[in-house]
Amino acid sequence: MSNDIEMLNKATFAGGCFWCLESDFKKVAGVVEAVSGYTGGDTENPTYQEVAAGKTEHLEAVQVVYDSAKVSYEDLLNVFWKHVDPTDPAGQFVDRGAQYRTAIFYHDEEQKRLAQESKQALQKSGRFSSPIVTEIVQFLKFYQAEDYHQGYYKKSAVRYNLYRISSGRDQFLKKTWDQEPQPVAKAAGNSGPAKPSDVELQKNLNPLQYQVTQQDATEPPFNNEFWNHKKDGIYVDVASGEPLFSSCDKFDSGSGWPSFAKPLEAGNIVERHDRSLSMDRIEARSKHGDSHLGHVFPDGPAPTGLRYCINSAALRFIAVDDLAAQGYDKYLKYFR
């Protein structure tokens, strides 16, 4: 056990929003932990509000605990460079301000040497036409950020991905390094029905249902089956029958489409980037039927703050009195 502990080292990096950098480092094999926090200033125990308002000299940063037998400090430096814009002195992407600038905080002279060498090598590589302005600074003290910031990419996956898309971070990385954007987090699924064949779909769905679920169409607002539907029951995928939403979570968003604060079965919803129509959005699809359902927006009611804006044509409603007869009796408990 003591040998394992001796293998653990720390590295500290700043590169804009710590939600993103934490997520990026946690994907690296050999990284034991990545913690969001603040470093680089003199204020004791800074708060997010103080740092965000520029009232301290701290930067948003991530402290990485890693197993040196599995990943080297040089490897971590390479990960860092490939997830930031090291040429921007004013911040990172949509986050502007000194607290969002890039920096490497070295914990010993060896880290300092390796950081300086990697910075020089990157500048000489010609990857960037502008000077690399990332600071290499001696590490002094790290303050862990508030609990709600830790693992934000998992705890608030939809909001995190909406932020990540709109920030321009992944677009920059893909353009610079020719790497694919970070995948949108998917909820853990469960077993379910397979997607029907196209022949079956065309036979069982009406033209609008087929266009919406299979061709990603959008039905008109205020002129669809469930936008103002108020009966108690659940909504399932019109193509596969997998349960998706409950009337308990349905609310009037004023959008003209059925809106839900959360899924009935999170594992049956897949969320992914949608850049169609010159917009950046999060699309919602069914996991097993792979039906286009609609989109997810961060303007819903408490406690989730989310709005699943769904096409009626993608849904089939099953009333409470029919749940048992149609094999959905496990959901009766929500209406008792």
Side-chain angles (χ1 to χ4, degrees), residues 218-236:
T218 300
E219 66 193 4
F222 303 104
N223 186 22
N224 54 77
E225 187 175 4
F226 299 126
W227 78 272
N228 197 31
H229 191 250
K230 301 184 186 301
K231 293 183 179 180
D232 291 335
I234 69 171
Y235 297 82
V236 304

Side-chain angles (χ1 to χ4, degrees), residues 3 15 35 79 85-86 94 109 112 120 151 171 193 200 203 208 226-227 238 257 271 273 280 284 293 305 320 333:
N3 290 336
V35 179
V79 172
D85 178 1
V94 298
E109 289 301 310
K112 179 181 180 180
Q120 293 168 1
Q171 295 90 321
E200 293 176 295
K203 176 182 178 182
L208 179 60
F226 299 126
W227 78 272
V238 71
W257 289 285
E271 295 153 7
H273 293 168
D280 280 324
L293 305 174
V320 173
K333 61 184 178 182

Side-chain angles (χ1 to χ4, degrees), residues 7-222:
M7 288 293 187
L8 299 184
N9 292 274
K10 290 182 179 180
T12 306
F13 304 95
C17 173
F18 47 24
W19 298 341
C20 298
L21 211 55
E22 177 192 329
S23 170
D24 295 329
F25 275 112
K26 279 187 174 177
K27 295 180 177 72
V28 178
V31 168
V32 178
E33 184 59 281
V35 179
S36 292
Y38 316 109
T39 193
D42 296 328
T43 303
E44 293 286 326
N45 300 310
T47 65
Y48 176 74
Q49 288 73 20
E50 290 173 330
V51 175
K55 294 181 179 180
T56 78
E57 294 182 354
H58 288 288
L59 284 71
E60 285 197 12
V62 171
Q63 189 159 91
V64 179
V65 179
Y66 65 100
D67 186 341
S68 60
K70 298 178 180 179
V71 61
S72 68
Y73 185 68
E74 297 99 310
D75 292 332
L76 297 180
L77 287 168
N78 288 331
V79 172
F80 170 73
W81 293 125
K82 290 186 176 182
H83 287 89
V84 300
D85 178 1
T87 68
D88 191 343
Q92 290 290 283
F93 313 107
V94 298
D95 295 315
R96 316 311 292 163
Q99 70 271 29
Y100 296 116
R101 66 188 189 275
T102 57
I104 299 170
F105 293 88
Y106 61 87
H107 288 248
D108 53 41
E109 289 301 310
E110 178 67 4
Q111 286 191 357
K112 179 181 180 180
R113 180 184 68 81
L114 292 171
Q116 291 174 333
E117 290 178 356
S118 69
K119 179 178 177 179
Q120 293 168 1
L122 186 61
Q123 186 70 77
K124 291 179 181 178
S125 72
R127 177 76 63 172
F128 300 97
S129 57
S130 300
I132 293 176
V133 298
T134 300
E135 303 166 65
I136 298 176
V137 187
Q138 183 178 7
F139 173 81
L140 296 176
K141 195 167 185 178
F142 181 83
Y143 298 92
Q144 183 169 322
E146 295 80 352
D147 288 344
Y148 68 90
H149 287 300
Q150 308 302 328
Y152 191 84
Y153 70 102
K154 286 184 177 179
K155 292 188 291 190
S156 302
V158 173
R159 287 189 174 187
Y160 168 75
N161 284 297
L162 285 170
Y163 164 78
R164 184 137 189 161
I165 292 170
S166 62
S167 73
R169 180 183 287 258
D170 286 330
Q171 295 90 321
F172 173 84
L173 298 178
K174 188 176 189 304
K175 178 182 177 182
T176 304
W177 298 97
D178 194 30
Q179 66 182 37
E180 289 301 316
Q182 296 297 309
V184 173
K186 297 180 180 180
N190 49 21
S191 60
K195 180 177 180 177
S197 68
D198 192 63
V199 172
E200 293 176 295
L201 290 169
Q202 293 198 50
K203 176 182 178 182
N204 297 326
L205 302 181
N206 64 40
L208 179 60
Q209 291 171 334
Y210 185 86
Q211 290 166 10
V212 167
T213 60
Q214 307 305 306
Q215 299 174 338
D216 302 345
T218 300
E219 66 193 4
F222 303 104

Side-chain angles (χ1 to χ4, degrees), residues 287-324:
K287 178 177 178 64
H288 306 290
D290 191 31
S291 298
H292 169 71
L293 305 174
H295 292 87
V296 192
F297 301 96
D299 57 6
T304 66
L306 301 177
R307 171 170 61 97
Y308 287 80
C309 186
I310 307 299
N311 288 281
S312 290
L315 304 173
R316 179 168 67 89
F317 177 74
I318 303 175
V320 173
D321 291 343
D322 298 325
L323 289 176

